Amino acid sequence: MPVPDLVIAANWKMNILPSEAGDFAERILNGLQVVHGVTKIVCPASLALPTVAERLKGSEVYLGAQNVHHESKGAYTGEVSPSMVREMCEYVILGHSERRQQFGETDEMVAKKITAAIRVGLKPILCIGETLSEREAGDATVVVQRQVRTALREVPSLNDVVVAYEPVWAIGTGVPSSPADAQQMMEFIRGLMQEDFGRSALDLPLLYGGSVDANNVAGFIAQPDINGALVGSAGLDAERFIDLVKNAYAASG
Ligand code: PEP
């Protein structure tokens, strides 16, 4: 059976100034130079992308953005286009729950962004996940199914797509899902993707996100359908992030 890559991505969110980001990225790069066999991605704020791109050039640490607009250019004040991001980045996080909840992004909008990102050669990291009230109502799988199927509706293949399951109640709370519960959802997601895309779903990297740190990452990576992690707060400390990546690699066997 094909085994997807191990992927660890750090979402810096609206943290780390452009003036600090280059040195911060370089510390991560230095700490991870010895760790091969993991796709390592850092996702700074848009304004820090040029500096970090310069420092990471030619390295094994990839750069991702945190969002793009779905249009290629035009009168969209404050937005960045997929091709602008593609000049610096390989990846882009799309559909993060903070964008859905605080900026009104719908499944339809996320789908348009995914299609636009892929069109210019960006690899999307699609975020999906249920809220606490949805989980308590027994709707977690319904929500996740709707999110993933809508977002990937126009996508011809799963090549270069990464899916991050991030239960909203676990993000930034210090209370992660249990590895077993996360695995159950990942198996469900992979099953859906197999129905829609066939055997290529076996190669799809499925990341868990939500209060992952260096101490708990191994438990997630040990699950058969979890191929990595999307990390928020634990990615804001270079040493903790380096340890997290090393521990993930060790747990991948
Ligand atoms: C996130 O925001 O994608 C995330 C996983 O955050 P944290 O690790 O802080 O829960």
Side-chain angles (χ1 to χ4, degrees):
M1 187 166 92
V3 180
D5 292 339
L6 180 61
V7 179
I8 305 287
N11 175 8
W12 295 358
K13 308 191 185 184
M14 200 171 72
N15 298 294
I16 309 183
L17 294 170
S19 57
E20 302 164 336
D23 287 350
F24 186 78
E26 210 158 287
R27 280 169 58 205
I28 289 173
L29 183 58
N30 291 338
L32 292 179
Q33 236 149 18
V34 289
V35 187
H36 308 289
V38 184
T39 302
K40 296 149 284 201
I41 307 164
V42 294
C43 304
S46 295
L47 275 179
L49 289 174
T51 320
V52 178
E54 199 51 40
R55 300 285 186 106
L56 297 182
K57 204 181 269 175
S59 81
E60 278 190 16
V61 177
Y62 294 98
L63 190 59
Q66 299 173 15
N67 185 29
V68 286
H69 196 273
H70 67 270
E71 291 289 352
S72 53
K73 62 177 175 175
Y76 301 101
T77 301
E79 294 290 325
V80 292
S81 75
S83 41
M84 288 171 184
V85 166
R86 184 65 191 101
E87 287 200 348
M88 287 160 228
C89 298
E90 291 83 16
Y91 291 87
V92 59
I93 296 171
L94 292 173
H96 192 280
S97 63
E98 287 155 14
R99 298 228 41 101
R100 293 177 190 262
Q101 294 196 318
Q102 299 173 35
F103 302 98
E105 283 193 13
T106 62
D107 290 331
E108 300 298 326
M109 290 162 77
V110 175
K112 283 186 182 174
K113 289 175 184 227
I114 293 269
T115 307
I118 289 175
R119 195 175 296 131
V120 300
L122 280 169
K123 301 174 186 180
I125 301 173
L126 165 65
C127 299
I128 56 176
E130 81 286 358
T131 62
L132 186 58
S133 57
E134 288 164 341
R135 171 158 281 252
E136 285 174 347
D139 291 338
T141 52
V142 176
V143 169
V144 163
Q145 173 167 328
R146 189 199 68 226
Q147 290 176 333
V148 71
R149 283 207 155 129
T150 308
L152 299 180
R153 196 172 48 198
E154 306 287 333
V155 166
S157 89
L158 289 176
N159 284 354
D160 296 329
V161 173
V162 177
V163 173
Y165 166 60
E166 302 202 298
V168 178
W169 44 270
I171 294 180
T173 59
V175 183
S177 165
S178 72
D181 283 353
Q183 163 58 26
Q184 204 173 22
M185 188 62 92
M186 298 300 195
E187 196 179 344
F188 173 71
I189 296 166
R190 201 180 297 285
L192 291 175
M193 294 297 93
Q194 230 177 319
E195 282 173 26
D196 296 351
F197 294 95
R199 288 185 58 80
S200 63
L202 301 177
D203 292 328
L204 171 69
L206 285 179
L207 315 189
Y208 168 76
S211 299
V212 176
D213 61 27
N215 297 323
N216 64 24
V217 69
F220 293 103
I221 300 302
Q223 303 300 317
D225 285 297
I226 302 183
N227 315 110
L230 177 55
V231 178
S233 36
L236 297 176
D237 177 308
E239 305 314 316
R240 279 173 70 200
F241 183 64
I242 291 162
D243 285 346
L244 188 158
V245 175
K246 287 180 176 171
N247 292 350
Y249 180 62
S252 70

